[in-house]
């Protein structure tokens, strides 16, 4: 695939990246299996959602499980963070992989699904986004790294994007396994979101 102005969204098949895919309709969705425990579940959701959205979908496997920490690899919490799913340099790694994959394909924009509540992670802050964008532009001067929902919470993003329930129902956000465990922060956030949206509809 070689084109111009190719916009790529890092697509885990979770609520946030699905809402952005629906709202922004990027040229490519990229799902990375980097060795995370829920990779099979993420890929299954991502493939199905990409089909429903009728968007081009690419998959990339780069196993970094031996370098991971926390819930996503079934290991103890990362030393630098108080958050159970933190994985050192995870977003930096995934954004770099996307830049590497599409560097020769007319890449113009890398979109990520960071939301305001991701500020608990060092790589989920506006400062990180600004710096990773500058870093990518050292090598690819015209490429933007954007997180369109960085100032919204997930509920606001779902509402703003007008993500239909049929798509929301296929999203997958567990941190620990390929079938929702119902106990991790990812599953809990999904349950809270559903309750919140259900209350609004009443
Ligand atoms: Zn879970």
């Amino acid at each position: 695939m070689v084109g111009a102005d190719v916009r790529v969204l890092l697509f885990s098949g979770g609520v946030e990246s699905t809402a952005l895919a629906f709202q922004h309709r990027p040229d490519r969705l990229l799902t990375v299996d980097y060795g995370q425990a829920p990779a099979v579940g993420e890929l299954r959701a991502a493939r199905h959602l990409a089909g429903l959205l009728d968007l081009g979908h690419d998959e990339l496997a780069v196993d970094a499980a031996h370098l991971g920490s926390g819930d996503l690899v079934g290991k103890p919490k990362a030393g630098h963070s108080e958050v159970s799913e933190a994985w050192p340099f995870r977003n930096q790694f995934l954004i770099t992989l996307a830049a590497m994959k599409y560097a020769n394909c007319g890449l113009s924009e890398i979109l990520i699904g960071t939301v305001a509540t991701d500020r608990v992670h060092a790589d989920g802050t506006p400062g990180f986004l600004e710096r990773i964008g500058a870093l990518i532009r050292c090598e690819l001067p015209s490429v933007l790294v954007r997180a369109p929902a960085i100032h919204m919470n997930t509920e606001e993003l779902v509402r703003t994007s007008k993500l239909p329930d049929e798509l929301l129902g296929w999203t997958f956000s567990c941190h620990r396994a390929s079938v929702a465990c119902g106990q991790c922060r990812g599953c809990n956030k999904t349950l809270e979101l559903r309750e919140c949206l259900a209350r609004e509809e009443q």
Side-chain angles (χ1 to χ4, degrees):
M1 180 200 50
V2 177
D5 293 336
V6 173
R7 293 157 65 236
V8 176
L9 171 68
L10 281 172
F11 187 57
S12 67
V15 177
E16 290 85 4
S17 58
T18 302
L20 289 181
F22 181 75
Q23 187 179 12
H24 293 269
R25 298 201 60 81
D27 301 291
R28 307 302 300 176
L29 303 173
L30 176 65
T31 306
V32 184
D33 174 354
Y34 51 97
Q36 72 276 38
V40 170
E42 291 185 9
L43 283 165
R44 188 172 48 220
R47 282 179 198 140
H48 189 72
L49 285 161
L52 294 174
L53 287 159
D54 193 25
L55 290 170
H57 184 222
D58 300 314
E59 296 174 18
L60 184 62
V62 180
D63 188 359
H66 58 299
L67 301 172
S69 299
D71 281 353
L72 285 160
V73 272
K75 288 187 189 169
K77 214 157 56 175
H80 74 306
S81 173
E82 283 306 307
V83 188
S84 61
E85 77 273 16
W87 175 320
F89 301 96
R90 176 176 164 275
N91 282 346
Q92 186 167 333
F93 177 57
L94 295 176
I95 290 165
T96 303
L97 288 176
M100 290 164 84
K101 179 167 173 59
Y102 298 98
N104 298 321
C105 305
L107 180 65
S108 66
E109 208 165 85
I110 299 170
L111 298 165
I112 59 171
T114 300
V115 288
T117 46
D118 288 326
R119 276 169 220 191
V120 294
H121 298 288
D123 63 0
T125 61
F128 166 81
L129 186 72
E130 195 182 307
R131 288 175 174 92
I132 191 77
L135 190 61
I136 295 293
R137 280 190 294 282
C138 287
E139 198 153 335
L140 300 172
S142 59
V143 173
L144 295 177
V145 179
R146 290 207 304 128
I150 199 164
H151 298 300
M152 298 175 209
N153 63 32
T154 300
E155 185 201 336
E156 287 165 332
L157 169 60
V158 168
R159 237 186 298 115
T160 309
S161 69
K162 301 189 165 51
L163 180 69
D165 273 350
E166 310 85 272
L167 295 178
L168 181 64
W170 282 103
T171 63
F172 179 78
S173 300
C174 183
H175 295 154
R176 289 186 183 157
S178 283
V179 175
C181 76
Q183 292 176 334
C184 72
R185 270 171 42 85
C187 286
N188 280 332
K189 279 197 282 185
T190 304
L191 292 171
E192 280 167 23
L193 174 70
R194 293 300 181 86
E195 282 171 14
C196 204
L197 292 171
R199 270 200 304 274
E200 271 174 27
E201 275 167 23
Q202 280 167 10

